[in-house]
Amino acid sequence: MSLLLLTTALIVQDISWQPATPRQGSLIVVSAPGAITGQFAGEPLHFRRGKALAAVPLSATDSTRLETLSIGWDGTVLGETAYVTVEVRRPAEEQVQAAERFTTPPDSALQERIDRERALSREVARRAHDVPRLWDAPFIRPRAARITSPFGSGRQVNGVWRTQHSGLDLAGRKGAPVRVSNRGIVALVGDFFYGGISVYVHHGDGLMTVYHHLSRALVAVGDTVERGEIIGRVGATGRVTGPHLHWQAQYGAVPFDPADLLKLP
Ligand SMILES: [Zn+2]
């Protein structure tokens, strides 16, 4: 009897996460010994040895539901639910000037293009979950350069309130190198209305990094890229005020602060 109790106790889940009270738009590490899968903020979780990454959306409410599934000692599926307390991210306000064509309401042809490009980026975000984890070494910054705009800042474009900044901007002159922040597979390369010339890289288990406003992309879809490899050149394509790199990190469709990637063990 006591042996059975001990065995049961060992496989009962105990869900925890780090940081304990994450901010909106941040990456968390979920620990749930024995868990095989789960869900957080609408995205599936990929557990390896009881740990999984997840991202708190910028729009997350103060209590966001976390679900995990594990297989019990007798083969039954055990579901557990926890609620992650989320701290509000207080955005720094920012003024941005952009060309008129980016702020006037789009005509139907342009709206069609924008919709098509959004669908493409949603699709590539969904597929980030189909790729096995490809990285071991720590993530690096794509440029050793000054941060010109942090993640999550509140933005006014030509005086009109827009959504919060979904990436982190790094300074750079046109033509300066952009390095991929970790090993991965190039999932999408294109020239988009808002993002300009962009490279999307799958790192596996839901993680994706995106590099926008390039003057040139130096990789093609399907290429395996090694950490630090030059994948493009800084530019000013898409909705920008001048040359810089917009570096975005996503867990599935959820953008989070790319700086959190650099803190991963
Ligand atoms: Zn940006």
Side-chain angles (χ1 to χ4, degrees), residues 149 155 165-169 213 244-247:
S149 171
R155 309 200 109 179
H165 191 209
S166 59
L168 182 160
D169 290 351
H213 311 311
H244 72 276
L245 173 67
H246 173 104
W247 178 35

Side-chain angles (χ1 to χ4, degrees), residues 24 34 56 70 88 92 105-106 112 134-135 141 156 161 165 182-184 200 244 260:
Q24 291 170 324
V56 181
S70 61
V88 173
E112 224 168 81
L134 298 170
W135 55 278
R141 276 165 76 145
Q156 281 192 27
W161 273 104
H165 191 209
N182 216 332
R183 188 162 186 273
Y200 290 66
H244 72 276
D260 289 355

Side-chain angles (χ1 to χ4, degrees), residues 156-177:
Q156 281 192 27
V157 180
N158 297 357
V160 179
W161 273 104
R162 297 280 149 145
T163 50
Q164 281 174 274
H165 191 209
S166 59
L168 182 160
D169 290 351
L170 292 164
R173 280 191 210 160
K174 190 181 171 198

